[in-house]
Amino acid sequence: MSTFNFARKEISFKIVYYGPALSGKTTSLRFIYGKLPEKVKGGFTSIATETERTLFFDFLPLELGSIKGFKIRLSLYTVPGQFIYKLTRKSVLRSTDGIIFVADSQRRKKEENIYSYNDMLENLDDFGESLDKIPLVFQYNKRDMEDIMSVEEMQEMLNKENKYPYFETVALQGIGVLEALKMMTKLVVSKI
Amino acid sequence: MQEDERLSKVQIVLTEEESNAINEMFGEYLADSEAKDIILLNKSGELIAKSGDITSDAAVMVSALAAGVFSATNELARLLGEKEFTITFHQGQETNIHISLITPTVLLAIIFDNRAPIGAIRFWAKKIGNSVKEIIKKAETRSKKQEAPKGIGQDIGNEIDNLF
Ligand SMILES: Nc1nc2c(ncn2[C@@H]2O[C@H](COP(=O)(O)OP(=O)(O)OP(=O)(O)O)[C@@H](O)[C@H]2O)c(=O)[nH]1
Ligand SMILES: [Mg+2]
């Protein structure tokens, strides 16, 4: 839920990185954290297991520049992709303004991508939300790996009608990550 | 607006007067209750107002985590057949935090040091929550169309690149 604060001249948006386990959500957020200048970013909070798997969420607040006198704040979250954290994912997704779906391009991850996408739709539905109202952007991640699906296959799998913008990304090197976030920012800001 | 819609998607638009009123109210309560910090946030984890020594950066983090804890606790509630837990309380060696739902979308987090007895914490949480509730309710029901900064979403094209 976007929040206007006239006293502080701020608008805040919540953006959630969704997707299957190990697809590169935390890596994407870490890249953004490493890349952006000090004055823009707040602290990076990660609630993870000892093996670095997201347990609850990662959180990164950004305080961007202003548009028409209003400062734009983004709260970026990642969900835990592992199957067992279904309810946690749902709780992190609540009241989001936009979703960046990080898909794993590896061919053997096809079923997991589809499962995660449907899981997301179900959760939105439970909140009385849908992609008609909440902007979605895809990161087709791990484009550097072996045996990956082609972009056409990715589109066929998740974005058949080419309704949502997508970016080919390599989160580990940061390729495409900021571009996807900028697109998402554009979409949530244009919504108001 | 339907109740369901309110739960997940209400926008909160605080006017300058409302924001000042909340700050003033928090300032007074902070002194009276001997709380360390009072933080108002929404269910998305966004900071709405804060009072006390806590820095803005820390308050932003507390908001995200408090909303996360609250949201997760409520999935727990549903599993147990409870509609919603409206209060969560965490007690430490030095510090306690009391988080309560004051409207369908807004949470109040109050941080006390451990001298405060639990009864007093409950009392103040309720009192502060009730006072701030009136202002928030007005802000919640105000139409988004009327109050959103005009034209901000239009023609933003390249401006986004300059933001980062
Ligand atoms: N080769 C390659 N490896 C990547 C890429 N993105 C992420 N990884 C690696 O994939 C593994 C998992 O990445 P994470 O970012 O932790 O995955 P996650 O989506 O947060 O996973 P969960 O927290 O379990 O949901 C790590 O070892 C990353 O280094 C990429 O684009 N290319
Ligand atoms: Mg992760």
Short mmCIF file of all heavy atoms in Angstrom, two decimals, chain A residues 77-112:
data_model
loop_
_atom_site.label_atom_id
_atom_site.label_comp_id
_atom_site.label_asym_id
_atom_site.label_seq_id
_atom_site.Cartn_x
_atom_site.Cartn_y
_atom_site.Cartn_z
N TYR A 77 11.68 -6.14 -0.54
CA TYR A 77 11.66 -7.37 0.25
C TYR A 77 11.92 -8.57 -0.66
O TYR A 77 11.55 -8.54 -1.83
CB TYR A 77 10.28 -7.60 0.87
CG TYR A 77 9.91 -6.66 1.99
CD1 TYR A 77 9.39 -5.39 1.71
CD2 TYR A 77 10.05 -7.03 3.32
CE1 TYR A 77 9.03 -4.53 2.74
CE2 TYR A 77 9.69 -6.18 4.35
CZ TYR A 77 9.18 -4.93 4.06
OH TYR A 77 8.83 -4.09 5.09
N THR A 78 12.51 -9.61 -0.12
CA THR A 78 12.50 -10.89 -0.84
C THR A 78 11.72 -11.89 0.01
O THR A 78 11.70 -11.79 1.23
CB THR A 78 13.91 -11.49 -1.04
OG1 THR A 78 14.38 -12.02 0.21
CG2 THR A 78 14.90 -10.46 -1.55
N VAL A 79 11.08 -12.83 -0.65
CA VAL A 79 10.40 -13.90 0.08
C VAL A 79 11.35 -15.10 0.17
O VAL A 79 12.28 -15.22 -0.61
CB VAL A 79 9.10 -14.35 -0.61
CG1 VAL A 79 8.12 -13.21 -0.72
CG2 VAL A 79 9.37 -14.96 -1.97
N PRO A 80 11.10 -16.00 1.12
CA PRO A 80 11.86 -17.26 1.13
C PRO A 80 11.25 -18.20 0.10
O PRO A 80 10.06 -18.47 0.14
CB PRO A 80 11.64 -17.78 2.55
CG PRO A 80 10.34 -17.18 3.00
CD PRO A 80 10.14 -15.92 2.22
N GLY A 81 12.07 -18.68 -0.82
CA GLY A 81 11.53 -19.48 -1.92
C GLY A 81 11.26 -20.94 -1.58
O GLY A 81 10.51 -21.62 -2.28
N GLN A 82 11.88 -21.42 -0.51
CA GLN A 82 11.75 -22.85 -0.22
C GLN A 82 10.30 -23.22 0.07
O GLN A 82 9.58 -22.49 0.76
CB GLN A 82 12.63 -23.21 0.99
CG GLN A 82 14.10 -23.22 0.66
CD GLN A 82 14.91 -23.67 1.86
OE1 GLN A 82 15.09 -24.85 2.09
NE2 GLN A 82 15.39 -22.72 2.62
N PHE A 83 9.93 -24.37 -0.44
CA PHE A 83 8.57 -24.85 -0.37
C PHE A 83 7.95 -24.71 1.02
O PHE A 83 6.84 -24.19 1.17
CB PHE A 83 8.54 -26.32 -0.81
CG PHE A 83 7.17 -26.92 -0.75
CD1 PHE A 83 6.24 -26.63 -1.73
CD2 PHE A 83 6.81 -27.76 0.30
CE1 PHE A 83 4.97 -27.17 -1.67
CE2 PHE A 83 5.54 -28.29 0.37
CZ PHE A 83 4.62 -28.00 -0.62
N ILE A 84 8.68 -25.12 2.04
CA ILE A 84 8.09 -25.16 3.39
C ILE A 84 7.69 -23.80 3.93
O ILE A 84 6.94 -23.70 4.89
CB ILE A 84 9.05 -25.81 4.43
CG1 ILE A 84 10.42 -25.12 4.36
CG2 ILE A 84 9.17 -27.30 4.22
CD1 ILE A 84 11.29 -25.44 5.56
N TYR A 85 8.18 -22.72 3.33
CA TYR A 85 7.88 -21.40 3.88
C TYR A 85 6.69 -20.73 3.21
O TYR A 85 6.63 -19.51 3.08
CB TYR A 85 9.11 -20.48 3.79
CG TYR A 85 10.31 -21.00 4.54
CD1 TYR A 85 11.55 -21.06 3.94
CD2 TYR A 85 10.19 -21.43 5.86
CE1 TYR A 85 12.66 -21.54 4.63
CE2 TYR A 85 11.29 -21.91 6.55
CZ TYR A 85 12.51 -21.97 5.93
OH TYR A 85 13.60 -22.45 6.62
N LYS A 86 5.75 -21.54 2.81
CA LYS A 86 4.60 -21.03 2.05
C LYS A 86 3.88 -19.89 2.78
O LYS A 86 3.58 -18.85 2.20
CB LYS A 86 3.63 -22.19 1.79
CG LYS A 86 2.47 -21.83 0.88
CD LYS A 86 1.70 -23.10 0.53
CE LYS A 86 0.35 -22.81 -0.12
NZ LYS A 86 0.42 -21.97 -1.31
N LEU A 87 3.63 -20.10 4.05
CA LEU A 87 2.87 -19.08 4.79
C LEU A 87 3.70 -17.82 5.04
O LEU A 87 3.17 -16.71 5.09
CB LEU A 87 2.34 -19.64 6.10
CG LEU A 87 1.20 -20.64 5.93
CD1 LEU A 87 0.79 -21.22 7.28
CD2 LEU A 87 0.00 -20.00 5.25
N THR A 88 4.99 -18.01 5.18
CA THR A 88 5.85 -16.84 5.36
C THR A 88 5.85 -16.00 4.08
O THR A 88 5.78 -14.78 4.12
CB THR A 88 7.29 -17.28 5.68
OG1 THR A 88 7.24 -18.28 6.68
CG2 THR A 88 8.12 -16.12 6.16
N ARG A 89 5.94 -16.69 2.94
CA ARG A 89 5.88 -15.97 1.66
C ARG A 89 4.62 -15.15 1.57
O ARG A 89 4.64 -13.99 1.17
CB ARG A 89 5.87 -16.98 0.50
CG ARG A 89 7.21 -17.38 -0.01
CD ARG A 89 7.11 -18.04 -1.35
NE ARG A 89 6.37 -19.31 -1.33
CZ ARG A 89 6.87 -20.45 -0.85
NH1 ARG A 89 8.08 -20.49 -0.36
NH2 ARG A 89 6.14 -21.56 -0.87
N LYS A 90 3.55 -15.78 1.97
CA LYS A 90 2.27 -15.09 1.89
C LYS A 90 2.29 -13.84 2.77
O LYS A 90 1.85 -12.77 2.36
CB LYS A 90 1.16 -16.05 2.34
CG LYS A 90 -0.22 -15.45 2.22
CD LYS A 90 -1.26 -16.51 2.56
CE LYS A 90 -2.63 -15.87 2.65
NZ LYS A 90 -3.62 -16.82 3.17
N SER A 91 2.84 -13.99 3.96
CA SER A 91 2.82 -12.85 4.88
C SER A 91 3.72 -11.72 4.38
O SER A 91 3.43 -10.55 4.59
CB SER A 91 3.18 -13.29 6.30
OG SER A 91 4.56 -13.49 6.42
N VAL A 92 4.80 -12.05 3.68
CA VAL A 92 5.67 -10.99 3.16
C VAL A 92 5.02 -10.29 1.96
O VAL A 92 5.19 -9.10 1.75
CB VAL A 92 7.06 -11.56 2.76
CG1 VAL A 92 7.93 -10.50 2.10
CG2 VAL A 92 7.78 -12.12 3.99
N LEU A 93 4.24 -11.06 1.22
CA LEU A 93 3.63 -10.51 0.00
C LEU A 93 2.50 -9.52 0.30
O LEU A 93 2.15 -8.67 -0.51
CB LEU A 93 3.09 -11.66 -0.86
CG LEU A 93 2.59 -11.32 -2.26
CD1 LEU A 93 3.72 -10.79 -3.14
CD2 LEU A 93 1.95 -12.53 -2.92
N ARG A 94 1.95 -9.63 1.50
CA ARG A 94 0.80 -8.82 1.86
C ARG A 94 1.03 -7.32 1.60
O ARG A 94 2.10 -6.80 1.86
CB ARG A 94 0.48 -9.04 3.33
CG ARG A 94 -0.75 -8.32 3.83
CD ARG A 94 -0.94 -8.57 5.32
NE ARG A 94 -1.27 -9.97 5.60
CZ ARG A 94 -2.50 -10.48 5.46
NH1 ARG A 94 -3.48 -9.72 5.07
NH2 ARG A 94 -2.71 -11.75 5.72
N SER A 95 0.04 -6.68 1.08
CA SER A 95 0.04 -5.22 0.89
C SER A 95 1.19 -4.72 0.03
O SER A 95 1.66 -3.61 0.22
CB SER A 95 0.13 -4.48 2.23
OG SER A 95 -0.80 -4.97 3.13
N THR A 96 1.61 -5.51 -0.92
CA THR A 96 2.70 -5.03 -1.77
C THR A 96 2.15 -4.14 -2.88
O THR A 96 1.00 -4.26 -3.27
CB THR A 96 3.51 -6.20 -2.34
OG1 THR A 96 4.72 -5.68 -2.89
CG2 THR A 96 2.76 -6.94 -3.44
N ASP A 97 3.00 -3.26 -3.36
CA ASP A 97 2.60 -2.39 -4.47
C ASP A 97 3.09 -2.93 -5.81
O ASP A 97 2.58 -2.53 -6.85
CB ASP A 97 3.18 -0.98 -4.28
CG ASP A 97 2.57 -0.29 -3.09
OD1 ASP A 97 1.35 -0.10 -3.10
OD2 ASP A 97 3.30 0.06 -2.14
N GLY A 98 4.10 -3.79 -5.79
CA GLY A 98 4.63 -4.33 -7.04
C GLY A 98 5.42 -5.60 -6.78
O GLY A 98 5.90 -5.83 -5.67
N ILE A 99 5.52 -6.44 -7.81
CA ILE A 99 6.24 -7.71 -7.66
C ILE A 99 7.27 -7.88 -8.76
O ILE A 99 6.97 -7.69 -9.95
CB ILE A 99 5.25 -8.91 -7.74
CG1 ILE A 99 4.16 -8.78 -6.67
CG2 ILE A 99 6.00 -10.24 -7.59
CD1 ILE A 99 3.03 -9.77 -6.85
N ILE A 100 8.50 -8.21 -8.37
CA ILE A 100 9.52 -8.62 -9.33
C ILE A 100 9.68 -10.12 -9.18
O ILE A 100 10.10 -10.60 -8.12
CB ILE A 100 10.85 -7.89 -9.09
CG1 ILE A 100 10.65 -6.38 -9.30
CG2 ILE A 100 11.94 -8.44 -10.02
CD1 ILE A 100 11.90 -5.53 -9.13
N PHE A 101 9.30 -10.86 -10.22
CA PHE A 101 9.37 -12.31 -10.14
C PHE A 101 10.72 -12.76 -10.70
O PHE A 101 11.01 -12.56 -11.88
CB PHE A 101 8.21 -12.95 -10.90
CG PHE A 101 8.10 -14.43 -10.68
CD1 PHE A 101 7.25 -14.95 -9.71
CD2 PHE A 101 8.86 -15.33 -11.44
CE1 PHE A 101 7.16 -16.32 -9.48
CE2 PHE A 101 8.78 -16.71 -11.21
CZ PHE A 101 7.91 -17.19 -10.23
N VAL A 102 11.54 -13.36 -9.84
CA VAL A 102 12.85 -13.82 -10.26
C VAL A 102 12.74 -15.30 -10.62
O VAL A 102 12.63 -16.16 -9.75
CB VAL A 102 13.91 -13.62 -9.15
CG1 VAL A 102 15.29 -14.07 -9.63
CG2 VAL A 102 13.95 -12.16 -8.71
N ALA A 103 12.75 -15.57 -11.92
CA ALA A 103 12.64 -16.95 -12.39
C ALA A 103 14.03 -17.52 -12.61
O ALA A 103 14.96 -16.79 -12.95
CB ALA A 103 11.84 -17.00 -13.69
N ASP A 104 14.17 -18.81 -12.40
CA ASP A 104 15.44 -19.49 -12.63
C ASP A 104 15.42 -20.06 -14.05
O ASP A 104 14.57 -20.88 -14.38
CB ASP A 104 15.59 -20.63 -11.59
CG ASP A 104 17.02 -21.17 -11.53
OD1 ASP A 104 17.68 -21.19 -12.59
OD2 ASP A 104 17.44 -21.57 -10.43
N SER A 105 16.36 -19.61 -14.87
CA SER A 105 16.34 -20.01 -16.29
C SER A 105 16.75 -21.46 -16.53
O SER A 105 16.56 -21.98 -17.64
CB SER A 105 17.27 -19.11 -17.10
OG SER A 105 16.86 -17.77 -17.03
N GLN A 106 17.34 -22.11 -15.54
CA GLN A 106 17.81 -23.48 -15.76
C GLN A 106 16.64 -24.40 -16.12
O GLN A 106 15.60 -24.39 -15.47
CB GLN A 106 18.50 -24.02 -14.50
CG GLN A 106 19.76 -23.26 -14.15
CD GLN A 106 20.35 -23.79 -12.85
OE1 GLN A 106 21.15 -24.71 -12.86
NE2 GLN A 106 19.93 -23.21 -11.74
N ARG A 107 16.88 -25.19 -17.15
CA ARG A 107 15.82 -26.05 -17.66
C ARG A 107 15.22 -26.93 -16.56
O ARG A 107 14.02 -27.10 -16.46
CB ARG A 107 16.38 -26.92 -18.80
CG ARG A 107 15.34 -27.69 -19.57
CD ARG A 107 15.94 -28.28 -20.84
NE ARG A 107 16.45 -27.25 -21.74
CZ ARG A 107 15.69 -26.49 -22.51
NH1 ARG A 107 14.39 -26.64 -22.51
NH2 ARG A 107 16.22 -25.59 -23.29
N ARG A 108 16.09 -27.46 -15.69
CA ARG A 108 15.59 -28.38 -14.67
C ARG A 108 14.75 -27.67 -13.59
O ARG A 108 14.18 -28.31 -12.71
CB ARG A 108 16.75 -29.14 -14.03
CG ARG A 108 17.75 -28.27 -13.33
CD ARG A 108 19.00 -29.06 -12.93
NE ARG A 108 19.98 -28.19 -12.31
CZ ARG A 108 19.99 -27.88 -11.01
NH1 ARG A 108 19.08 -28.40 -10.20
NH2 ARG A 108 20.90 -27.07 -10.52
N LYS A 109 14.67 -26.35 -13.67
CA LYS A 109 13.89 -25.60 -12.68
C LYS A 109 12.51 -25.22 -13.18
O LYS A 109 11.79 -24.45 -12.54
CB LYS A 109 14.64 -24.33 -12.28
CG LYS A 109 15.97 -24.57 -11.62
CD LYS A 109 15.78 -25.07 -10.18
CE LYS A 109 17.14 -25.27 -9.53
NZ LYS A 109 17.07 -25.34 -8.10
N LYS A 110 12.17 -25.74 -14.34
CA LYS A 110 10.91 -25.34 -14.97
C LYS A 110 9.70 -25.51 -14.05
O LYS A 110 8.94 -24.58 -13.82
CB LYS A 110 10.71 -26.15 -16.26
CG LYS A 110 9.49 -25.72 -17.02
CD LYS A 110 9.45 -26.31 -18.42
CE LYS A 110 8.17 -25.80 -19.10
NZ LYS A 110 8.03 -26.29 -20.45
N GLU A 111 9.58 -26.72 -13.49
CA GLU A 111 8.40 -26.99 -12.64
C GLU A 111 8.37 -26.06 -11.43
O GLU A 111 7.32 -25.59 -11.02
CB GLU A 111 8.43 -28.45 -12.15
CG GLU A 111 8.27 -29.48 -13.25
CD GLU A 111 7.04 -29.23 -14.11
OE1 GLU A 111 5.99 -28.91 -13.52
OE2 GLU A 111 7.13 -29.32 -15.36
N GLU A 112 9.54 -25.81 -10.87
CA GLU A 112 9.60 -24.95 -9.68
C GLU A 112 9.18 -23.53 -9.99
O GLU A 112 8.53 -22.86 -9.19
CB GLU A 112 11.02 -24.95 -9.09
CG GLU A 112 11.36 -26.24 -8.38
CD GLU A 112 12.76 -26.22 -7.80
OE1 GLU A 112 13.11 -25.24 -7.12
OE2 GLU A 112 13.51 -27.18 -8.07
#
